[in-house]
Amino acid sequence: MGSGQTLVTDLLSKLSVNFKIRDLGEPSFFLGIKIVKCDNGILLSQLGYMNDILKRAGMAECKLLSTPLSVSKTFSADLYDDPTQYMSLDGALQYLTITRPNLSFAVNQLCQHMHAPAISH
């Protein structure tokens, strides 16, 4: 991707001197991110990845909220049964913030409880 086709072609020819490369065309899906070309740029979407996270967490049927984190609820001390699953889901949510930076604060709050995750987290 570049500002001009000649620049892209020149770069590819220079890279091919030292590396075995091939042109796969325009990307449509890369590392779980769907790439859609629009009139005014590109759209990056992780909708499928987000749905997979919800299924793994058993929350695919939950209702929507206007904010990703309750500002008034306090967390309970009942420990989460499987801390490994919690850590895995938390890591998946961190990757989701690539296209959803509005979730960063809530995911950061979850990361702060990695040492002893509770059910309410």
Side-chain angles (χ1 to χ4, degrees):
M1 187 176 285
S3 58
Q5 187 57 39
T6 54
L7 291 173
V8 173
T9 306
D10 186 44
L11 176 63
L12 289 175
S13 65
K14 288 179 181 177
L15 286 173
S16 66
V17 171
N18 294 316
F19 304 101
K20 183 179 177 182
I21 63 170
R22 58 185 168 167
D23 188 1
L24 300 175
E26 290 190 23
S28 61
F29 198 79
F30 184 71
L31 295 175
I33 302 173
K34 184 177 180 180
I35 303 165
V36 180
K37 197 171 192 178
C38 302
D39 293 336
N40 56 351
I42 59 173
L43 173 70
L44 303 177
S45 173
Q46 289 181 297
L47 182 62
Y49 183 70
M50 183 172 31
N51 287 329
D52 289 343
I53 294 171
L54 289 171
K55 287 177 190 169
R56 281 178 30 200
M59 300 180 73
E61 303 301 319
C62 289
K63 296 179 183 178
L64 298 174
L65 289 175
S66 59
T67 60
L69 180 68
S70 174
V71 292
S72 62
K73 184 178 179 183
T74 58
F75 296 118
S76 71
D78 299 330
L79 293 180
Y80 195 74
D81 292 336
D82 187 1
T84 305
Q85 182 192 25
Y86 181 90
M87 292 175 197
S88 174
L89 289 170
D90 205 15
L93 289 170
Q94 284 180 329
Y95 186 69
L96 187 62
T97 62
I98 291 171
T99 58
R100 299 290 307 268
N102 59 318
L103 298 177
S104 294
F105 178 77
V107 172
N108 178 274
Q109 293 297 305
L110 294 174
C111 289
Q112 292 182 23
H113 301 281
M114 287 272 213
H115 61 287
I119 293 170
S120 58
H121 299 137

